[in-house]
Amino acid sequence: MIYTSQAKSLKLNGDILKLIAAITMFIDHTGAILYPNIMFLRIIGRIAFPIFVFFIAEGCIYTRNKGKYLLNICLFAAITQTVKIIFKDTDDFNVLFTFAVSVVIITVFQYTADSIGRKNKGQSVFMMLIFVLIIYAVWFVNRIVVIQYGFWGCLAPFIVYLSRYFRKGNDGLNTKVALLAIAMSAVYMVYGGVQSYAYLAVPLLLCYSGQKGGKVPKYFFYIFYPSHLAILYMLKNFI
């Protein structure tokens, strides 16, 4: 089993893991924006994406309102992209757009799975067709525009989400992390380089207690993303 005795002895709730992701993302973007020649900063930053992928999947598994969840992601994706445009960083669409696409994929898949479960043949065939078209559309759009982490980045939370159809408890955590590692392998195969360091997130996620935490305000991580980028862009103008 992947779930080690060391991981059993250390428990990290969702807030702590997401704070680790936020801090490492800040370090990563500090390197990308202010110190592009310091590769170590980018290496540390590889920890962030897998953790956020994991919790996007968790959010889709447990949220009662995927529509509201998607709306929040889209809203802050638009705010973040506005910040990037203001500071003339228009090379790509930010990672919240990646996650918005992921939520759409997961939602359509869930409707498809539900229709199959109800044994509604006509609806099942229709939803499977829609799901295939959605996947193709995501692939096609990624051929035209640059979305951070590309096609496989968009699929990564969906791959982790598939764990809900496997065993629960510690074995469920193992399955989620194993599926995450598979998703990160696909991202690495496309982008290579420092992306291999994304596996550093694996032992941290194996320590996940399954508890949210609840001490960090609900919208902190949404607000943090555009805010820290704006600060770094402003600092760049003064250095």
Side-chain angles (χ1 to χ4, degrees), residues 82-231:
T82 301
V83 170
K84 286 167 66 69
I85 291 170
I86 289 172
F87 290 97
K88 297 180 173 56
D89 180 2
T90 55
D91 292 339
D92 55 24
F93 286 89
N94 68 78
V95 75
L96 287 180
F97 282 111
T98 307
F99 292 147
V101 172
S102 302
V103 175
V104 172
I105 293 171
I106 290 169
T107 302
V108 174
F109 176 81
Q110 187 58 62
Y111 278 118
T112 304
D114 290 346
S115 64
I116 293 172
R118 291 192 297 269
K119 297 182 179 179
N120 186 327
K121 186 176 180 180
Q123 188 181 45
S124 297
V125 172
F126 175 74
M127 289 307 304
M128 283 189 284
L129 177 61
I130 294 297
F131 179 71
V132 170
L133 289 174
I134 288 288
I135 297 298
Y136 175 76
V138 172
W139 174 83
F140 184 74
V141 168
N142 274 281
R143 302 276 292 184
I144 299 172
V145 299
V146 180
I147 302 175
Q148 287 187 5
Y149 291 97
F151 175 71
W152 286 107
C154 293
L155 282 186
F158 165 67
I159 293 171
V160 178
Y161 177 82
L162 293 175
S163 66
R164 69 173 300 174
Y165 298 99
F166 297 93
R167 296 176 65 180
K168 307 299 181 183
N170 288 344
D171 287 334
L173 178 62
N174 288 344
T175 303
K176 290 175 184 177
V177 176
L179 290 172
L180 177 68
I182 292 171
M184 290 303 100
S185 296
V187 172
Y188 171 69
M189 286 174 64
V190 175
Y191 292 98
V194 297
Q195 295 302 333
S196 61
Y197 293 96
Y199 296 110
L200 293 173
V202 167
L204 292 171
L205 288 168
L206 286 172
C207 296
Y208 180 44
S209 66
Q211 303 298 314
K212 292 182 178 179
K215 297 294 180 75
V216 179
K218 180 179 178 180
Y219 287 97
F220 170 79
F221 297 104
Y222 288 111
I223 295 170
F224 177 80
Y225 189 52
S227 299
H228 90 279
L229 284 176
I231 291 169

